[in-house]
Amino acid sequence: DVKVTQSSRYLVKRTGEKVFLECVQDMDHENMFWYRQDPGLGLRLIYFSYDVKMKEKGDIPEGYSVSREKKERFSLILESASTNQTSMYLCASNYHSGSPAGFTDTQYFGPGTRLTVL
Amino acid sequence: GQNIDQPTEMTATEGAIVQINCTYQTSGFNGLFWYQQHAGEAPTFLSYNVLDGLEEKGRFSSFLSRSKGYSYLLLKELQMKDSASYLCAVRDPNYQLIWGAGTKLIIKP
């Protein structure tokens, strides 16, 4: 079974703190993604990475940065947390489309981190 | 712009059939996904359509009409455990997913 794990299920931080969210996948996936999920809105892509040390901005990258030093690990960093970053953060991973493994570019999600910024 | 519409909430009875619709207007199309998300949990993959027609997988089926920008997820023989949110997502030509806000399905006994 594919496994995507996230470092915390629940996190409470104060405004201005630096916050690290970690995601690890065990399927040797090339692609990894960070989304946030808010009530009444679809999943919104923050950043994604298609290879080690590579990153691409998603739809809402402002206030966030990412790091991918190893293939299995993708970190989301909130440089200075603000209350409007209170949200559910979901990490996902998949193979590149066209991978010889066939149709396996389904995104697999971690359990999510519910972050509250006070 | 990119737009995916789903009903916000639906209610159905245990044992019945329910159809959850998804309409999309996107600048490109490269497949449509349905995911299930139980409260407080991660989304899990249900189905994928890239060609017109019906894909059946047990109690769940998904239909796609590309010309109409329309898909539906059909759930038969509803069980209480089917209470969840159902997310529709369109894959764009860059292989990124554009997500709908999800439909919360409530199953009543």
Side-chain angles (χ1 to χ4, degrees):
Chain A
D1 264 0
V2 175
K3 195 142 190 178
V4 181
T5 57
Q6 295 183 226
S7 48
S8 308
R9 290 300 303 270
Y10 300 93
L11 211 51
V12 180
K13 295 291 181 181
R14 298 213 172 269
T15 303
E17 280 193 78
K18 192 168 185 175
V19 182
F20 292 87
L21 304 181
E22 276 221 314
C23 174
V24 178
Q25 50 92 6
D26 66 357
M27 278 300 292
D28 203 33
H29 286 161
E30 294 92 356
N31 300 333
M32 297 188 74
F33 307 82
W34 275 107
Y35 293 94
R36 62 178 282 177
Q37 185 176 33
D38 299 290
L41 299 176
L43 288 162
R44 292 182 291 167
L45 183 64
I46 305 171
Y47 268 97
F48 67 99
S49 167
Y50 54 88
D51 204 349
V52 175
K53 296 194 186 294
M54 306 302 290
K55 60 185 180 184
E56 295 284 342
K57 292 180 180 179
D59 300 318
I60 51 164
E62 297 79 18
Y64 303 94
S65 62
V66 290
S67 171
R68 191 157 180 211
E69 297 297 318
K70 293 185 178 181
K71 190 175 186 180
E72 68 271 17
R73 192 178 296 267
F74 192 35
S75 301
L76 180 70
I77 302 147
L78 286 66
E79 296 290 342
S80 177
S82 63
T83 54
N84 64 11
Q85 292 178 311
T86 291
S87 186
M88 169 69 88
Y89 290 88
L90 289 164
C91 173
S93 70
N94 68 356
Y95 290 112
H96 280 317
S97 294
S99 161
F103 173 63
T104 52
D105 65 344
T106 301
Q107 289 190 18
Y108 293 90
F109 285 84
T113 297
R114 187 165 291 284
L115 172 67
T116 302
V117 182
L118 301 175
Chain B
Q2 318 269 52
N3 197 45
I4 299 183
D5 285 319
Q6 312 177 229
T8 303
E9 188 173 295
M10 298 181 71
T11 302
T13 305
E14 192 177 13
I17 299 172
V18 72
Q19 178 175 310
I20 302 174
N21 295 327
C22 171
T23 58
Y24 62 90
Q25 293 171 311
T26 57
S27 55
F29 180 85
N30 199 4
L32 187 144
F33 292 79
W34 283 96
Y35 279 77
Q36 180 190 59
Q37 186 178 25
H38 285 100
E41 296 184 12
T44 54
F45 170 74
L46 281 179
S47 69
Y48 168 72
N49 295 70
V50 67
L51 299 175
D52 291 350
L54 190 69
E55 294 281 341
E56 297 189 76
K57 199 186 284 189
R59 294 188 299 115
F60 291 9
S61 305
S62 56
F63 171 83
L64 175 67
S65 169
R66 288 172 296 169
S67 62
K68 295 181 179 175
Y70 169 68
S71 173
Y72 67 72
L73 182 69
L74 191 72
L75 292 76
K76 302 176 188 174
E77 300 168 17
L78 285 170
Q79 302 175 10
M80 297 304 292
K81 67 178 182 180
D82 297 330
S83 291
S85 288
Y86 291 86
L87 312 181
C88 173
V90 170
R91 185 167 60 189
D92 72 15
N94 294 320
Y95 290 90
Q96 297 306 321
L97 293 181
I98 306 158
W99 295 84
T103 299
K104 183 178 180 181
L105 178 63
I106 299 166
I107 310 295
K108 295 187 174 177

CSV table of all heavy atoms in Angstrom, one decimal, chain B residues 15-39:
chain,number,residue,atom,x,y,z
B,15,GLY,N,-29.4,2.2,1.4
B,15,GLY,CA,-30.0,1.3,0.5
B,15,GLY,C,-30.4,1.9,-0.8
B,15,GLY,O,-30.6,1.1,-1.8
B,16,ALA,N,-30.5,3.2,-0.9
B,16,ALA,CA,-30.9,3.9,-2.1
B,16,ALA,C,-29.8,4.1,-3.1
B,16,ALA,O,-28.6,3.6,-2.9
B,16,ALA,CB,-31.6,5.2,-1.8
B,17,ILE,N,-30.1,4.9,-4.1
B,17,ILE,CA,-29.1,5.3,-5.1
B,17,ILE,C,-29.0,6.8,-5.1
B,17,ILE,O,-30.0,7.5,-5.0
B,17,ILE,CB,-29.5,4.8,-6.6
B,17,ILE,CG1,-29.6,3.3,-6.6
B,17,ILE,CG2,-28.5,5.3,-7.6
B,17,ILE,CD1,-30.2,2.8,-7.9
B,18,VAL,N,-27.8,7.3,-5.3
B,18,VAL,CA,-27.6,8.8,-5.4
B,18,VAL,C,-26.6,9.1,-6.5
B,18,VAL,O,-25.7,8.4,-6.8
B,18,VAL,CB,-27.1,9.4,-4.0
B,18,VAL,CG1,-25.6,9.0,-3.8
B,18,VAL,CG2,-27.3,10.9,-4.0
B,19,GLN,N,-26.9,10.2,-7.2
B,19,GLN,CA,-26.0,10.7,-8.3
B,19,GLN,C,-25.5,12.1,-7.9
B,19,GLN,O,-26.3,13.0,-7.6
B,19,GLN,CB,-26.9,10.8,-9.6
B,19,GLN,CG,-26.1,11.3,-10.7
B,19,GLN,CD,-26.9,11.3,-12.0
B,19,GLN,OE1,-27.5,10.3,-12.4
B,19,GLN,NE2,-26.9,12.4,-12.7
B,20,ILE,N,-24.2,12.2,-7.9
B,20,ILE,CA,-23.5,13.5,-7.6
B,20,ILE,C,-23.0,14.0,-8.9
B,20,ILE,O,-22.2,13.4,-9.5
B,20,ILE,CB,-22.4,13.3,-6.6
B,20,ILE,CG1,-23.0,12.6,-5.3
B,20,ILE,CG2,-21.7,14.6,-6.2
B,20,ILE,CD1,-21.9,12.3,-4.3
B,21,ASN,N,-23.4,15.2,-9.2
B,21,ASN,CA,-23.0,15.8,-10.5
B,21,ASN,C,-21.8,16.7,-10.4
B,21,ASN,O,-21.6,17.3,-9.3
B,21,ASN,CB,-24.2,16.6,-11.1
B,21,ASN,CG,-25.4,15.7,-11.5
B,21,ASN,OD1,-25.2,14.6,-11.9
B,21,ASN,ND2,-26.6,16.2,-11.3
B,22,CYS,N,-21.1,16.9,-11.4
B,22,CYS,CA,-20.0,17.8,-11.5
B,22,CYS,C,-19.9,18.4,-12.9
B,22,CYS,O,-19.9,17.6,-13.9
B,22,CYS,CB,-18.7,17.0,-11.2
B,22,CYS,SG,-17.1,17.9,-11.5
B,23,THR,N,-19.9,19.7,-13.0
B,23,THR,CA,-19.8,20.4,-14.3
B,23,THR,C,-18.5,21.2,-14.2
B,23,THR,O,-18.1,21.7,-13.2
B,23,THR,CB,-21.0,21.3,-14.6
B,23,THR,OG1,-21.1,22.2,-13.5
B,23,THR,CG2,-22.2,20.5,-14.7
B,24,TYR,N,-17.8,21.3,-15.4
B,24,TYR,CA,-16.6,21.9,-15.4
B,24,TYR,C,-16.4,22.8,-16.6
B,24,TYR,O,-17.0,22.5,-17.7
B,24,TYR,CB,-15.4,20.9,-15.3
B,24,TYR,CG,-15.3,20.0,-16.5
B,24,TYR,CD1,-14.6,20.3,-17.6
B,24,TYR,CD2,-16.0,18.7,-16.4
B,24,TYR,CE1,-14.5,19.4,-18.7
B,24,TYR,CE2,-15.9,17.8,-17.5
B,24,TYR,CZ,-15.2,18.2,-18.6
B,24,TYR,OH,-15.1,17.3,-19.6
B,25,GLN,N,-15.7,23.9,-16.4
B,25,GLN,CA,-15.3,24.8,-17.5
B,25,GLN,C,-13.8,25.0,-17.3
B,25,GLN,O,-13.4,25.8,-16.3
B,25,GLN,CB,-16.1,26.1,-17.5
B,25,GLN,CG,-17.5,26.0,-17.8
B,25,GLN,CD,-18.3,27.3,-17.5
B,25,GLN,OE1,-18.1,27.9,-16.5
B,25,GLN,NE2,-19.1,27.7,-18.5
B,26,THR,N,-13.0,24.4,-18.0
B,26,THR,CA,-11.5,24.6,-17.9
B,26,THR,C,-10.9,24.9,-19.2
B,26,THR,O,-11.5,24.6,-20.3
B,26,THR,CB,-10.9,23.3,-17.3
B,26,THR,OG1,-11.2,22.2,-18.1
B,26,THR,CG2,-11.5,23.0,-15.9
B,27,SER,N,-9.7,25.4,-19.2
B,27,SER,CA,-9.0,25.8,-20.4
B,27,SER,C,-8.5,24.6,-21.1
B,27,SER,O,-8.0,24.7,-22.3
B,27,SER,CB,-7.9,26.8,-20.1
B,27,SER,OG,-7.0,26.2,-19.1
B,28,GLY,N,-8.4,23.5,-20.5
B,28,GLY,CA,-8.0,22.2,-21.2
B,28,GLY,C,-8.5,21.0,-20.4
B,28,GLY,O,-9.0,21.2,-19.2
B,29,PHE,N,-8.5,19.9,-20.9
B,29,PHE,CA,-9.0,18.7,-20.2
B,29,PHE,C,-8.1,17.5,-20.5
B,29,PHE,O,-7.8,17.2,-21.7
B,29,PHE,CB,-10.4,18.4,-20.7
B,29,PHE,CG,-11.0,17.2,-20.0
B,29,PHE,CD1,-11.6,17.3,-18.8
B,29,PHE,CD2,-11.0,15.9,-20.6
B,29,PHE,CE1,-12.2,16.2,-18.2
B,29,PHE,CE2,-11.5,14.8,-20.0
B,29,PHE,CZ,-12.1,14.9,-18.8
B,30,ASN,N,-7.7,16.8,-19.4
B,30,ASN,CA,-6.9,15.7,-19.6
B,30,ASN,C,-7.3,14.6,-18.6
B,30,ASN,O,-6.4,13.9,-18.1
B,30,ASN,CB,-5.4,16.1,-19.4
B,30,ASN,CG,-4.4,15.2,-19.9
B,30,ASN,OD1,-4.8,14.2,-20.6
B,30,ASN,ND2,-3.2,15.4,-19.7
B,31,GLY,N,-8.6,14.5,-18.3
B,31,GLY,CA,-9.1,13.5,-17.4
B,31,GLY,C,-9.8,14.1,-16.3
B,31,GLY,O,-9.6,15.2,-15.9
B,32,LEU,N,-10.7,13.3,-15.7
B,32,LEU,CA,-11.5,13.7,-14.5
B,32,LEU,C,-11.4,12.6,-13.4
B,32,LEU,O,-11.6,11.4,-13.7
B,32,LEU,CB,-12.9,14.0,-14.9
B,32,LEU,CG,-13.8,14.6,-13.9
B,32,LEU,CD1,-14.8,15.6,-14.5
B,32,LEU,CD2,-14.6,13.6,-13.1
B,33,PHE,N,-11.2,13.1,-12.2
B,33,PHE,CA,-11.1,12.2,-11.1
B,33,PHE,C,-12.2,12.4,-10.1
B,33,PHE,O,-12.7,13.5,-9.9
B,33,PHE,CB,-9.8,12.4,-10.3
B,33,PHE,CG,-8.5,12.1,-11.1
B,33,PHE,CD1,-8.0,12.9,-12.1
B,33,PHE,CD2,-7.8,10.9,-10.8
B,33,PHE,CE1,-6.9,12.6,-12.8
B,33,PHE,CE2,-6.7,10.6,-11.5
B,33,PHE,CZ,-6.2,11.4,-12.5
B,34,TRP,N,-12.6,11.4,-9.4
B,34,TRP,CA,-13.5,11.4,-8.2
B,34,TRP,C,-12.7,10.9,-7.0
B,34,TRP,O,-12.1,9.8,-7.1
B,34,TRP,CB,-14.7,10.7,-8.4
B,34,TRP,CG,-15.8,11.3,-9.3
B,34,TRP,CD1,-16.0,11.1,-10.6
B,34,TRP,CD2,-16.7,12.3,-8.9
B,34,TRP,NE1,-17.0,12.0,-11.1
B,34,TRP,CE2,-17.5,12.7,-10.0
B,34,TRP,CE3,-17.0,13.0,-7.7
B,34,TRP,CZ2,-18.5,13.6,-10.0
B,34,TRP,CZ3,-18.0,13.9,-7.6
B,34,TRP,CH2,-18.8,14.2,-8.8
B,35,TYR,N,-12.7,11.6,-5.9
B,35,TYR,CA,-12.1,11.2,-4.7
B,35,TYR,C,-13.2,11.2,-3.6
B,35,TYR,O,-14.1,12.0,-3.6
B,35,TYR,CB,-11.0,12.1,-4.3
B,35,TYR,CG,-9.7,11.9,-4.9
B,35,TYR,CD1,-9.4,12.4,-6.2
B,35,TYR,CD2,-8.6,11.3,-4.3
B,35,TYR,CE1,-8.2,12.2,-6.8
B,35,TYR,CE2,-7.4,11.1,-4.9
B,35,TYR,CZ,-7.2,11.5,-6.2
B,35,TYR,OH,-6.0,11.4,-6.7
B,36,GLN,N,-13.0,10.3,-2.6
B,36,GLN,CA,-13.9,10.3,-1.5
B,36,GLN,C,-13.0,10.8,-0.3
B,36,GLN,O,-11.9,10.4,-0.1
B,36,GLN,CB,-14.3,8.9,-1.2
B,36,GLN,CG,-15.2,8.7,0.0
B,36,GLN,CD,-15.4,7.2,0.4
B,36,GLN,OE1,-14.5,6.5,0.6
B,36,GLN,NE2,-16.7,6.8,0.4
B,37,GLN,N,-13.7,11.6,0.6
B,37,GLN,CA,-13.0,12.1,1.8
B,37,GLN,C,-13.9,12.0,3.0
B,37,GLN,O,-14.9,12.8,3.1
B,37,GLN,CB,-12.5,13.6,1.6
B,37,GLN,CG,-11.6,14.1,2.7
B,37,GLN,CD,-11.1,15.5,2.5
B,37,GLN,OE1,-11.7,16.2,1.7
B,37,GLN,NE2,-10.0,15.8,3.1
B,38,HIS,N,-13.6,11.1,3.9
B,38,HIS,CA,-14.3,11.1,5.2
B,38,HIS,C,-13.8,12.2,6.0
B,38,HIS,O,-12.7,12.7,5.9
B,38,HIS,CB,-14.1,9.7,5.9
B,38,HIS,CG,-14.9,8.6,5.2
B,38,HIS,ND1,-14.3,7.7,4.4
B,38,HIS,CD2,-16.2,8.3,5.3
B,38,HIS,CE1,-15.3,6.9,3.9
B,38,HIS,NE2,-16.4,7.2,4.5
B,39,ALA,N,-14.7,12.7,6.9
B,39,ALA,CA,-14.4,13.8,7.8
B,39,ALA,C,-13.1,13.6,8.5
B,39,ALA,O,-12.9,12.6,9.2
B,39,ALA,CB,-15.5,14.1,8.7
